[in-house]
């Protein structure tokens, strides 16, 4: 009898947490669809616009899901995106698009790996390491460009990374679908994903079971760096330039998206699809508020409030 | 073949200059249950962690099934068929039972994890063990009894032939303990050898074939259980003759006037129903009952952790509106919780900081903490409770399990409460410390405090209680005067038939 009661409360809790983002998403979507019927909220164009605006946050949120599920945090993603947009743009100008893509990814790999090494070898808290790295990466981007934007003139690059579309489908949408699919399968269905969850759920226990928890900590931060670099390259393609400001403040939206999606800030559980929906939810709110004609100060307040309420609901046991 | 399952010889180990194991020998025969006993900090867990590859020995040799081996990691140990049921569990609360059992060895199909297959194999494992556990249950939602079964299944899934159980019963209820013993016999019949660490003498005599005693990091004796008496084992553990450890010392309590604590018709959280009793100054009230009888929940409700649905709590005759633990503490009530490691200690902080945490406000002078006085008080507790630690500045994490528990007890004594509720106060504490703690309980009561002792060990309840309340299904089934109970069996019977 007792165990059945247990089972029920367990299911309730999981359902509640997992579905919150879905319910919230649908509810807000319907709300805007009805109230903003005449402002064109539901037009294909506007919807694609939302997708385009959220795709970059969603991409980073996929990698951040792993980071948070493993019990770490990465505050440097926005700054890495900015730095990678700049290194990509500079390299394209000299050596062409292929080298540019390689340079961008390498930037993320390097910064992410340094984060990972500091956290897992020197045993520093990821919060502080990545907070510091945020400044280092952003500052480097400013320094190597003299704070000036670096235009990207390569059409092919811009088309693939963000500006173009295949038929009616924007390339950004394709990126996010691919990244989400890979992320979801890796977290749910591979030993790596399982070990990420184990590490975040109870680091000591995971270690005693034979999980190399340091390796996991290193990998989640490194991958987060690489994916943040990809996000920076998407910014660069969409805005046809590299600039140190791209991605500024994104770390907060990304973390909010992940937590909205039902991933526990204490680690041990996480949902990639939830995080992406969380990002979309934030995108829908931003878009709706703009269409409602609110001033940007009001938008920021409402957005903050919605995140607090949603996180409060999602983390209630 | 009769070669030894495990032979450890001349094992020594030091931690930052302090030697905790001195050339210890230990051997395990195939298919035997071998008890490893000793006081808190004797080195039992350390010796087993060496066998498990968590630590490496400074000196000494290990042979498994007659072959000399080097065990450098838990992984190596696993490959040799050694599985450990940890004193602190090694499960991930956010994963399911099946996911935990197959962690790092997930069955796969087409490169991806196949959870269905691991659930199926988990079901089979539990069937072999004759236990019923839902493979898809989230471990964090299960009771400790199930955690343990999951741990054992996890070891068996790794083809373990040697199981190390470090105080497996300290968090189990009587019923869970009995089913664990039954399971151990089944495993033994399958040729699996078990090393069994426990502080509970009855368990050792009930389940084991041989007993090895360690004291202060040294090997003392290894004997067949059948040729030992409980007195002999206890003497070996403490190194001197202990007499009348659990003898009842009759005390005189005036049960007149206003009770210190009175509980009237208390109901809480569905697990406590209409409970009434009173506690007088200087009295020790024992609370007995089976698992799930609501003992812990009753304590939690009185202490303000769980919400009270009906009834009232009176302290010194006055209604005490206890809504949160702070209210209870302010009213002079202290609760020493059952799950001390997680509820009672900040593991990374020092012994001193842990001991002084609840009394910090009283240590302040001009807004600053009086450190010298704090250190003196902490040292006092370390001495009076015989906490084995290098200094009061050692992080609690580094203390042995039993010594950590003494720190929690000291911590609550430091608040100088009038009413002290102790939930399983001596679980995991060695025999020497047990008598010590029982002595502390008596002294506190003699000083006029009211004490409630919740315990699954009849011997312990009988040793200190003036009265015993038996709970069943959340309600008071009987209330007995200690004088009415002559033998342990009587109490046992009263609890079982409640
Ligand atoms: N990692 C460590 N660093 C420093 N000292 C340690 C460490 N681990 C254990 N010790 C010390 O080694 C001694 C033996 O500890 P151990 O945990 O083996 O005792 P035990 O016999 O298991 O005791 P208990 O019955 O209380 O669990 C203790 O004094 C403890 O403080
Ligand atoms: Mg121990």
């Amino acid at each position: 009898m007792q165990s059945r009661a247990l089972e029920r409360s367990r299911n309730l809790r999981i359902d509640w947490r997992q579905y919150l983002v879905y319910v919230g998403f649908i509810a807000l979507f319907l709300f805007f669809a009805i109230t903003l019927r005449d402002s064109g909220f539901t037009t294909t164009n506007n919807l694609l616009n939302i997708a385009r605006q959220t795709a970059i946050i969603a991409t980073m949120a996929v990698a951040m899901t792993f980071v948070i599920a493993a019990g770490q945090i990465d505050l440097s993603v926005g700054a890495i995106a900015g730095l990678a947009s700049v290194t990509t743009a500079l390299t394209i100008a000299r050596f062409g698009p292929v080298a540019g893509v390689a340079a961008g990814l390498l930037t993320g790999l390097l910064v992410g790996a340094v984060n990972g090494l500091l956290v897992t070898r020197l045993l520093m808290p990821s919060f502080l390491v990545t907070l510091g790295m945020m400044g280092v990466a952003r500052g480097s981007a400013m320094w190597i460009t003299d704070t000036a934007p670096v235009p990207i003139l390569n059409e092919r690059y811009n088309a693939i990374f963000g500006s173009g579309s295949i038929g009616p489908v924007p390339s950004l949408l394709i990126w996010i679908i691919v990244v989400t699919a890979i992320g979801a399968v890796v977290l749910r269905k591979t030993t790596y994903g399982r070990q990420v969850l184990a590490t975040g759920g109870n680091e000591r226990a995971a270690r005693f079971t034979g999980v190399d928890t340091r390796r996991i900590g290193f990998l989640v931060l490194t991958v987060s760096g690489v994916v943040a670099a990809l996000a920076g390259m998407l910014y660069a393609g969409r805005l046809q330039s590299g600039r140190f400001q791209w991605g500024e403040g994104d770390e907060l939206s990304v973390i909010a998206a992940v937590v909205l999606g039902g991933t526990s800030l204490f680690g041990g559980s996480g949902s990639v699809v939830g995080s992406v929906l969380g990002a979309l939810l934030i995108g829908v709110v931003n878009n709706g508020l703009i269409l409602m004609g609110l001033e940007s100060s009001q938008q920021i307040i409402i957005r903050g409030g919605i995140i607090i309420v949603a996180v409060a609901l999602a983390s209630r046991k | 073949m009769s070669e030894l399952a495990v032979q450890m010889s001349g094992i020594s180990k030091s931690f930052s200059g302090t030697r905790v194991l001195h050339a210890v020998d230990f051997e395990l025969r195939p298919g035997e249950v071998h008890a490893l006993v000793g006081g808190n900090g004797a080195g039992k867990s350390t010796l087993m962690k060496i066998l498990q590859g968590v630590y490496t020995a400074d000196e000494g040799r290990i042979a498994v099934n007659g072959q000399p081996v080097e065990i450098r990691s838990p992984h190596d140990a696993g490959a040799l068929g050694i599985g450990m049921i940890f004193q602190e569990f090694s499960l991930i609360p956010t994963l399911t039972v099946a996911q935990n059992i197959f962690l790092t060895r997930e069955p796969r199909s087409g490169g991806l994890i196949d959870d269905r297959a691991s659930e199926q194999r988990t079901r089979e494992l539990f069937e072999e063990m004759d236990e019923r556990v839902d493979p898809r249950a989230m471990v964090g939602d299960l009771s400790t009894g199930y955690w343990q079964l999951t741990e054992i299944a996890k070891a068996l899934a790794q083809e373990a032939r040697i199981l190390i159980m470090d105080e497996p019963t300290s968090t189990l209820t009587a019923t869970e303990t009995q089913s664990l013993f039954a399971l151990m016999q089944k495993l033994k019949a399958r040729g699996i050898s078990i090393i069994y660490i426990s502080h509970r003498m009855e368990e050792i005599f009930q389940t084991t074939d041989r007993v090895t005693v360690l004291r202060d990091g040294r090997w003392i004796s290894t004997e067949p259980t059948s040729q030992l008496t409980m007195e002999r084992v206890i003497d070996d553990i403490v190194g001197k003759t202990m007499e009348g450890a659990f003898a009842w010392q009759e005390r005189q309590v005036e049960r007149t006037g206003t009770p210190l604590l009175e509980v009237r018709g208390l109901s809480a959280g569905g697990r406590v129903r209409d409970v009434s009793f009173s506690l007088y100054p200087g009295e020790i009230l024992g609370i007995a009952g089976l698992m799930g009888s609501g003992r812990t929940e009753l304590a939690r409700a009185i202490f303000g952790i769980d919400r009270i649905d009906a009834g009232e709590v009176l302290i010194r005759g006055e209604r005490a509106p206890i809504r949160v633990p702070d209210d209870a503490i302010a009213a002079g009530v202290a609760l020493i919780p059952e799950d001390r490691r997680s509820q009672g200690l900040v593991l990374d902080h020092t012994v001193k900081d842990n001991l002084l945490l609840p009394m910090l406000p009283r240590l302040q002078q001009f807004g600053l903490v009086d450190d010298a006085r704090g250190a003196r008080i902490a040292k006092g507790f370390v001495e009076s409770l015989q906490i084995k630690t290098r200094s009061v500045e050692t992080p609690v994490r580094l203390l042995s399990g039993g010594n950590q528990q003494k720190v929690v007890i000291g911590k609550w004594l430091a608040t100088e409460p009038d009413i002290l509720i102790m939930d399983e106060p001596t679980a995991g504490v060695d025999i020497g410390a047990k008598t010590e703690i029982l002595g502390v309980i008596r002294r506190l009561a003699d000083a006029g405090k009211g004490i409630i002792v919740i315990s699954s060990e009849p011997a312990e309840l009988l040793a200190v209680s003036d009265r015993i309340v038996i709970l069943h299904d959340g309600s008071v089934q009987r209330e007995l005067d200690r004088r009415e109970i002559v033998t342990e069996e009587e109490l046992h019977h009263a609890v079982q038939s409640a």
Side-chain angles (χ1 to χ4, degrees):
Chain A
M1 185 198 82
Q2 182 202 349
S3 73
R4 206 173 312 134
L6 244 176
E7 225 159 276
R8 208 176 317 128
S9 74
R10 180 181 78 232
N11 289 339
L12 263 183
R13 193 166 91 208
I14 290 177
D15 289 352
W16 174 225
R17 290 250 219 130
Q18 274 187 347
Y19 293 130
L20 181 84
V21 69
Y22 299 81
V23 174
F25 181 75
I26 293 171
L28 269 169
F29 192 87
L30 287 179
F31 172 74
F32 285 132
I34 293 166
T35 53
L36 296 173
R37 206 174 20 221
D38 304 327
S39 318
F41 178 79
T42 44
T43 58
T44 318
N45 223 344
N46 189 49
L47 294 181
L48 283 179
N49 217 0
I50 296 179
R52 232 177 264 130
Q53 279 157 0
T54 21
I56 297 179
I57 297 289
T59 305
M60 288 189 270
V62 170
M64 188 69 82
T65 308
F66 285 78
V67 175
I68 294 182
Q72 307 283 1
I73 194 89
D74 187 350
L75 298 177
S76 61
V77 287
I80 294 178
L83 179 61
S85 79
V86 162
T87 53
T88 305
L90 287 173
T91 313
I92 290 177
R94 287 222 203 136
F95 306 104
V98 177
V101 170
L105 293 178
L106 200 66
T107 307
L109 184 73
L110 276 178
V111 181
V114 171
N115 279 339
L117 284 177
L118 290 174
V119 170
T120 57
R121 295 293 140 181
L122 298 189
L123 305 180
M124 295 162 68
S126 54
F127 182 85
L128 293 177
V129 167
T130 58
L131 185 66
M133 193 53 80
M134 186 167 130
V136 172
R138 183 80 64 204
S140 307
M142 290 167 80
W143 187 37
I144 56 180
T145 60
D146 252 339
T147 72
V150 184
I152 299 177
L153 302 173
N154 188 296
E155 298 283 320
R156 185 54 118 6
Y157 175 87
N158 288 337
I160 296 176
F161 288 90
S163 300
S165 52
I166 300 180
V169 189
S171 62
L172 273 174
L173 203 58
I174 296 173
W175 274 110
I176 183 57
I177 289 170
V178 170
V179 171
T180 308
I182 295 176
V185 171
V186 169
L187 187 61
R188 282 274 157 271
K189 288 284 173 186
T190 65
T191 39
Y192 170 70
R194 190 57 57 74
Q195 296 189 8
V196 166
L197 293 173
T199 303
N202 182 342
E203 206 257 357
R204 253 167 74 90
R207 190 152 30 93
F208 283 178
T209 309
V211 176
D212 188 344
T213 53
R214 282 196 192 186
R215 188 177 138 259
I216 297 293
F218 174 76
L219 285 177
V220 291
L221 287 168
T222 307
V223 172
S224 175
V226 172
V227 173
L230 173 64
M233 288 153 60
L234 293 175
Y235 270 121
R238 194 174 127 219
L239 303 165
Q240 314 200 343
S241 63
R243 190 158 192 202
F244 75 90
Q245 282 152 318
W246 299 163
E248 204 157 23
D250 277 3
E251 54 280 347
L252 294 184
S253 311
V254 170
I255 292 167
V258 172
V259 176
L260 277 178
T263 296
S264 158
L265 266 179
F266 300 109
S269 68
S271 157
V272 166
V273 177
S275 301
V276 172
L277 270 180
L280 269 177
L281 188 100
I282 295 176
V284 166
V285 171
N286 284 345
N287 181 274
L289 294 180
I290 293 171
L291 290 187
M292 278 176 138
L294 295 188
E295 283 176 26
S296 66
S297 54
Q298 295 169 318
Q299 288 174 32
I300 294 174
I301 294 174
I302 294 182
R303 206 188 316 153
I306 288 181
I307 290 177
I308 291 177
V309 170
V311 171
L313 286 175
S315 55
R316 268 257 297 275
K317 290 237 166 130
Chain B
M1 269 193 307
S2 64
E3 61 198 8
L4 292 172
V6 172
Q7 182 162 31
M8 302 177 83
S9 23
I11 303 287
S12 295
K13 176 75 185 170
S14 303
F15 288 111
S16 45
T18 314
R19 214 145 188 228
V20 300
L21 290 175
H22 304 259
V24 171
D25 295 330
F26 178 79
E27 53 169 61
L28 179 69
R29 295 178 185 151
E32 81 167 332
V33 179
H34 194 134
L36 184 58
V37 299
N40 293 132
K44 307 176 296 289
S45 298
T46 305
L47 185 68
M48 288 304 111
K49 282 180 183 164
I50 287 170
L51 182 55
Q52 178 65 11
V54 175
Y55 300 143
T56 39
D58 301 335
E59 279 166 47
R61 293 181 314 278
I62 303 177
V64 173
N65 299 324
Q67 303 294 318
V69 291
E70 276 201 48
I71 305 176
R72 282 200 209 81
S73 68
H75 191 255
D76 290 353
L80 291 167
I82 301 170
M84 178 143 176
I85 315 300
F86 285 94
Q87 193 171 5
E88 314 102 52
F89 292 101
S90 70
L91 298 179
I92 317 286
T94 53
L95 296 182
T96 68
V97 169
Q99 289 173 342
N100 262 292
I101 289 175
F102 287 97
L103 185 60
T104 70
R105 296 166 302 102
E106 293 86 0
R108 281 185 276 181
S109 65
L112 298 180
I113 290 182
D114 184 353
D115 273 326
R116 262 172 220 290
S118 51
E119 278 154 21
Q120 183 52 37
R121 277 167 60 188
T122 302
R123 221 165 273 128
E124 289 163 13
L125 273 172
F126 282 121
E127 260 159 38
E128 274 170 41
M129 286 162 59
D130 255 338
E131 301 286 348
R132 304 200 46 194
V133 181
D134 175 7
R136 302 177 62 172
M138 194 68 73
V139 164
D141 292 334
L142 299 175
S143 72
T144 43
Y146 287 108
W147 280 55
Q148 195 136 50
L149 288 175
T150 306
E151 290 257 5
I152 295 172
K154 182 172 161 184
L156 295 180
Q158 295 169 37
E159 310 282 320
R161 304 291 298 161
I162 298 157
L163 278 185
I164 306 167
M165 299 190 180
D166 197 346
E167 298 192 40
T169 59
S170 65
T171 50
L172 296 191
T173 58
T175 336
E176 289 172 331
T177 301
Q178 290 310 319
S179 56
L180 174 68
F181 291 166
L183 177 59
M184 282 165 63
Q185 294 310 316
K186 269 178 246 156
L187 296 176
K188 189 177 138 171
R190 278 164 57 183
I192 290 172
S193 329
I194 298 174
I195 303 173
Y196 186 82
I197 300 181
S198 175
H199 289 292
R200 298 188 180 163
M201 289 301 138
E202 323 87 77
E203 295 181 355
I204 287 157
F205 281 88
Q206 186 185 344
T207 52
T208 67
D209 302 313
R210 289 200 297 164
V211 179
T212 290
V213 179
L214 297 187
R215 188 197 320 142
D216 293 332
R218 284 171 222 276
W219 175 87
I220 300 295
S221 61
T222 299
E223 301 278 352
T225 316
S226 56
Q227 290 171 26
L228 286 168
T229 59
M230 204 175 285
E231 284 70 35
R232 164 74 198 288
V233 177
I234 294 174
D235 290 352
D236 277 354
I237 291 173
V238 292
K240 58 179 187 235
T241 309
M242 297 274 294
E243 259 171 25
F246 281 144
W248 180 43
Q249 297 169 8
E250 190 165 350
R251 306 172 58 254
Q252 289 303 324
V253 183
E254 291 274 328
R255 304 194 73 240
T256 49
T258 333
L260 199 51
L261 172 77
E262 193 176 349
V263 172
R264 286 191 195 152
L266 189 77
S267 297
R271 302 285 296 277
V272 178
R273 293 186 209 137
D274 194 21
V275 170
S276 305
F277 65 83
S278 49
L279 175 74
Y280 286 84
E283 191 179 28
I284 304 174
L285 177 70
I287 296 188
L290 295 173
M291 109 154 158
S293 59
R295 295 170 304 176
T296 297
E297 290 78 5
L298 174 62
R300 289 167 58 96
I302 296 174
F303 195 61
I305 300 174
D306 293 343
R307 221 181 51 142
I308 295 177
D309 296 328
E312 51 187 10
V313 175
L314 285 81
I315 292 176
R316 290 178 217 88
E318 285 180 28
R319 269 207 74 183
I322 293 176
R323 272 181 228 98
V324 292
D326 255 1
D327 297 340
I329 294 170
V333 183
L335 170 70
I336 301 181
E338 178 179 28
D339 183 2
R340 286 180 270 272
R341 277 180 62 86
S342 66
Q343 295 177 18
L345 289 175
V346 187
L347 287 176
D348 282 328
H349 286 187
T350 64
V351 171
K352 185 183 90 185
D353 289 348
N354 272 286
L355 281 172
L356 300 182
L357 189 62
M359 60 182 306
L360 273 184
R362 278 189 286 136
L363 276 178
Q364 273 184 16
Q365 251 180 353
F366 314 117
L368 298 175
V369 176
D370 183 349
D371 250 340
R373 196 166 136 233
R376 264 199 316 280
I377 296 176
K379 282 199 186 104
F381 278 114
V382 167
E383 263 160 42
S384 68
L385 292 173
Q386 300 185 345
I387 299 172
K388 209 173 164 224
T389 173
R390 211 166 311 142
S391 83
V392 292
E393 302 293 347
T394 308
V396 164
R397 174 168 47 84
L398 297 182
L399 266 56
S400 74
N403 282 301
Q404 293 186 353
Q405 311 218 4
K406 293 192 210 168
V407 173
V408 185
I409 293 178
K411 171 178 155 182
W412 285 106
L413 291 182
T415 64
E416 297 180 5
D418 294 329
I419 301 163
L420 191 60
I421 308 171
M422 303 173 129
D423 198 353
E424 301 289 352
T426 68
V429 171
D430 69 43
I431 193 87
K434 235 176 221 178
T435 29
E436 199 63 34
I437 289 169
L438 296 183
V440 170
I441 293 176
R442 287 190 195 106
R443 278 203 300 283
L444 291 168
D446 288 342
K449 298 187 192 299
I451 298 181
I452 298 176
V453 176
I454 299 173
S455 174
S456 321
E457 273 190 85
E460 180 174 303
L461 281 181
L462 289 174
V464 291
S465 309
D466 301 312
R467 260 182 322 137
I468 295 177
V469 164
I470 298 175
L471 283 190
H472 178 71
D473 220 359
S475 320
V476 175
Q477 193 71 20
R478 286 175 79 180
E479 196 181 308
L480 298 164
D481 194 293
R482 170 65 180 87
R483 273 177 287 257
E484 294 167 29
I485 312 166
V486 182
T487 65
E488 209 176 303
E489 282 66 40
E490 281 178 37
L491 178 61
H492 209 72
H493 191 73
V495 169
Q496 296 289 342
S497 61

